[in-house]
Amino acid sequence: QVQLVESGGGLVQAGDSLRLSCTASGRTSSRCVMGWFRQAPGKEREFVAAINWSGGSTRYADSVKGRFTISRDNAKNTVYLQMNSLKPEDTAVYYCAAKYGVVLFTTQNGLDYWGQGTQVTVSS
C-alpha cells in the first residue's frame, strides 16, 4: 500500500504562482509513474500532468503547457507541481495519483493510488 498526501494549495490571485507537493509513504520502493489531476466544481476530474520514475519523461494537458511544471525527488518520495501564471480557470481540487509501471498516464483508468486532494483557488 502507498499513501499519498498533497499539500501547498491555497488562495492566490491571477498571475500568481503556487507549488503543490505530494509525498508518498508506505510501499514506495516500487517504481511508479506519478501525476496530478484536478476537479473543478461541477466538472469531471481531468488530467493535468504526469512524470515517470526517473523524471526524464513528462506529459501535460494542453491547458497547462508552458505554465505548469511537474518534477519529482525520489529521495524524498515527493512529486511537485509548480504552477505559474495561474488563471481563475485553474481553480479546482488538485489530486495526486500514482500507478505502478513505466508508461505515462493521461487518464484515470487503472491508477493505483490517489491522494485526498488540495484546494487551489485563483481569484481574478
Side-chain angles (χ1 to χ4, degrees), residues 1-6 22-29 32 34 76-78 96 98 100 113:
Q1 278 288 76
V2 173
Q3 295 78 43
L4 303 176
V5 178
E6 302 99 332
C22 171
T23 300
S25 60
R27 182 188 160 194
T28 58
S29 60
C32 60
M34 297 191 71
K76 297 181 179 180
N77 294 322
T78 299
C96 179
Y100 293 119
Y113 300 105

Side-chain angles (χ1 to χ4, degrees), residues 49-122:
I51 187 167
N52 71 343
W53 171 258
S54 69
S57 183
T58 58
R59 190 163 294 172
Y60 296 93
D62 288 342
S63 58
V64 305
K65 277 181 183 176
R67 299 189 298 123
F68 291 11
T69 302
I70 189 170
S71 61
R72 67 190 294 167
D73 184 341
N74 290 333
K76 297 181 179 180
N77 294 322
T78 299
V79 63
Y80 304 98
L81 186 68
Q82 178 66 43
M83 306 185 294
N84 298 330
S85 303
L86 282 162
K87 305 175 181 180
E89 49 263 45
D90 294 318
T91 294
V93 177
Y94 283 71
Y95 296 91
C96 179
K99 179 178 173 63
Y100 293 119
V102 298
V103 178
L104 292 177
F105 52 74
T106 59
T107 72
Q108 303 179 59
N109 297 335
L111 298 186
D112 294 300
Y113 300 105
W114 289 92
Q116 82 289 348
T118 186
Q119 177 71 48
V120 172
T121 303
V122 184

Side-chain angles (χ1 to χ4, degrees), residues 39-56:
Q39 187 167 20
K43 295 188 177 181
E44 296 197 351
R45 194 173 299 188
E46 65 175 3
F47 169 76
V48 176
I51 187 167
N52 71 343
W53 171 258
S54 69

